[in-house]
Amino acid sequence: MKKSYDAIILGAGAAGLFCAAEAGLRGRRILLIDHAEKPGKKILISGGGRCNFTNLGVSPECYLSANRHFMKSALSRYTAQDFIALVDHYGIPWHEKTLGQLFCDGSSRQIVDLLLGRCKQGQVALQCGKAVRSVTHADGFYRVTTDDFEAEAPALVVATGGPAIPKMGATGFAYELARQFNLKVVQPRPALVPLTLSREDALFRELSGVASEVIASYGKTAFREAALFTHRGLSGPAILQISSYWQSGHPVRINFCPTENTEWLVKAKSNSPKNTLCQFLRRHLPDRLADVLNERLALDGILAELPDKALRRAGAQLANWEFYPDGTEGYAKAEVTAGGVSTAELSSQTMEAKRVSGLYFIGEAVDVTGWLGGYNFQWAWSSGWAAAQIL
Ligand code: FDA
């Protein structure tokens, strides 16, 4: 038997759960469908199990999109402070870890429980473990068919995220639906993802496990955080951040000595003349990293014997080390998907498709991608909230 609702939401992740709850609490009859057996799986594993649920520094500059203004409306109408107030209302203790990143003191499960509790209060009908077989649109109604039931509603919200971490049930279903309705999709790509290094940089792969604070930059964008060497290349927060901007064939630049200027090795020559460059670097950097950088710089002998010019050049190279990644570790390791349903197709006020009445896209499915650090969940809350106000 076909059941009718005010809106059907596909995807019970962060955006779908939040949107369903808010619309349900506004008195709308909502059906929320997910093909996974349980809702909110990414929330559960997020932030190392503590869910970095928002960031105190949320602003449009912290997001990538073909339209850098698109996210402004939603972010300003449902803010980080709004979500913090909700977390407080449910008595969930939290703390700021670093750089404005807010985590639960306890577990991510508390955020999922908050969302499920609100869905229950809003009488949302939640159907998990239901693969969507078809979506059609006729006579002003969206009809969704699963193996077990059919449902219809005048509004359909697509909150199925992107394909990052497919083994968790992530899919590109939102893009298929967008194309079904002739909406443009900005080429999706893995983001917040480790970068792989080519053979020329094989020496650095030997550093697997070594971490160091760096400034990683691409073009004019730079992040000062930790970088981590892996057996395949580069990872750690600074690299994940810059990976979202990186384009194949171009270099990522690493400043290994973010607190120093290019004169520091010349100064070192007068302060520690009997040190070799390697000994000196070992005082500032992890030993194994210092050894590899020293090998590449190829300046033998004690500092006193090295010309200032060579030391300046070495200082400049350490501050601007170029890596040419040969790729990324792909969707299997990506924290998010960049690109997605084109913002040109959507209203920034409501997330509704401009050319298809009653069809909405929210969360990661949309071409809006946040930095690492709680920005992506805030986008899920803000975009979900925007749609919920109009359902
Ligand atoms: P999300 O992916 O959460 O939900 C989509 C839902 O749709 C899923 O439940 C899925 O099963 C369902 N679905 C997919 N295809 C379907 C289909 N065909 N039919 C039915 N259902 C379907 N962000 C952040 O801000 N802070 C953090 O701490 C972290 N940490 C983090 C860790 C890891 C390991 C990952 C992979 C990601 C993060 N993120 C994060 C990113 C964050 O998880 C992500 O941006 C949001 O979950 C996006 O929310 P959505 O609801 O849009 O998609």
Side-chain angles (χ1 to χ4, degrees):
M1 204 186 77
K2 198 184 295 170
K3 279 189 106 182
S4 294
Y5 296 87
D6 292 324
I8 299 170
I9 301 178
L10 302 181
L17 283 166
F18 191 64
C19 181
E22 293 303 305
L25 290 166
R26 290 181 61 242
R28 300 297 179 266
R29 291 169 308 131
I30 304 294
L31 171 63
L32 177 58
I33 303 175
D34 203 296
H35 67 172
E37 292 300 326
K38 295 214 164 103
K41 276 164 83 175
K42 275 195 188 167
I43 304 174
L44 288 174
I45 60 156
S46 69
R50 296 227 157 106
C51 187
N52 178 191
F53 55 82
T54 192
N55 193 295
L56 294 174
V58 166
S59 79
E61 292 72 44
C62 310
Y63 292 85
L64 292 85
S65 170
N67 175 358
R68 60 195 172 88
H69 302 294
F70 180 82
M71 65 298 289
K72 284 183 181 170
S73 170
L75 290 176
S76 68
R77 285 187 300 137
Y78 192 86
T79 65
Q81 293 305 330
D82 289 324
F83 196 78
I84 295 167
L86 190 64
V87 169
D88 285 341
H89 178 76
Y90 280 80
I92 300 173
W94 53 269
H95 61 279
E96 179 184 351
K97 197 170 171 191
T98 173
L99 302 171
Q101 301 167 3
L102 305 190
F103 287 75
C104 297
D105 288 355
S107 142
S108 306
R109 160 64 52 198
Q110 293 170 294
I111 300 293
V112 175
D113 288 345
L114 176 163
L115 296 167
L116 288 176
R118 284 176 77 75
C119 281
K120 197 168 175 198
Q121 224 182 317
Q123 299 185 8
V124 172
L126 175 59
Q127 291 280 354
C128 284
K130 308 291 175 198
V132 175
R133 293 294 162 217
S134 71
V135 173
T136 57
H137 184 215
D139 311 324
F141 281 90
Y142 291 89
R143 293 187 178 83
V144 175
T145 310
T146 71
D147 285 341
D148 303 342
F149 62 83
E150 248 190 0
E152 65 175 20
L156 179 73
V157 183
V158 184
T160 51
I165 319 270
K167 73 170 188 225
M168 294 194 67
T171 68
F173 186 60
Y175 317 144
E176 283 171 40
L177 277 181
R179 290 188 187 110
Q180 180 183 332
F181 289 94
N182 290 318
L183 303 179
K184 284 192 214 93
V185 173
V186 174
Q187 181 63 39
R189 61 180 199 282
L192 298 181
V193 63
L195 298 171
T196 54
L197 288 178
S198 61
R199 277 164 188 253
E200 295 96 82
D201 284 316
L203 199 54
F204 285 95
R205 290 205 238 142
E206 289 167 18
L207 294 176
S208 183
V210 172
S212 186
E213 197 196 339
V214 302
I215 298 173
S217 59
Y218 181 79
K220 287 186 180 153
T221 309
F223 294 93
R224 181 171 171 170
E225 285 188 67
L228 170 72
F229 290 92
T230 70
H231 66 287
R232 296 192 60 190
L234 295 165
S235 187
I239 301 300
L240 298 183
Q241 298 278 34
I242 216 67
S243 74
S244 300
Y245 292 84
W246 175 72
Q247 285 180 12
S248 181
H250 296 270
V252 165
R253 293 191 163 82
I254 305 281
N255 180 347
F256 284 110
C257 314
T259 55
E260 309 297 340
N261 64 32
T262 49
E263 286 297 303
W264 72 299
L265 294 182
V266 178
K267 270 201 216 134
K269 181 175 168 175
S270 44
N271 294 339
S272 318
K274 291 198 174 140
N275 273 185
T276 61
L277 181 61
C278 189
Q279 283 168 333
F280 182 74
L281 289 179
R282 275 177 163 237
R283 279 163 42 192
H284 293 267
L285 297 166
D287 287 358
R288 284 163 65 203
L289 175 59
D291 293 350
V292 166
L293 292 172
N294 179 64
E295 197 174 326
R296 285 293 185 96
L297 291 168
L299 289 180
D300 296 329
I302 57 169
L303 292 173
E305 290 165 354
L306 294 171
D308 288 0
K309 200 172 157 197
L311 290 172
R312 267 193 205 100
R313 205 179 323 117
Q317 200 174 338
L318 287 169
N320 204 16
W321 204 280
E322 279 191 354
F323 287 98
Y324 280 85
D326 62 3
T328 74
E329 291 202 29
Y331 287 121
K333 292 283 168 64
E335 203 159 288
V336 288
T337 306
V341 178
S342 170
T343 54
E345 302 283 9
L346 307 176
S347 154
S348 62
Q349 308 287 309
T350 63
M351 305 293 137
E352 186 177 11
K354 290 173 189 165
R355 296 185 286 129
V356 190
S357 172
L359 180 63
Y360 299 76
F361 290 86
I362 58 174
E364 197 176 315
V366 180
D367 172 31
V368 173
T369 307
W371 288 353
L372 186 78
Y375 299 95
N376 284 299
F377 278 139
Q378 186 59 45
W379 172 245
W381 318 136
S382 297
S383 59
W385 188 90
Q389 304 316 300
I390 198 89
L391 293 176

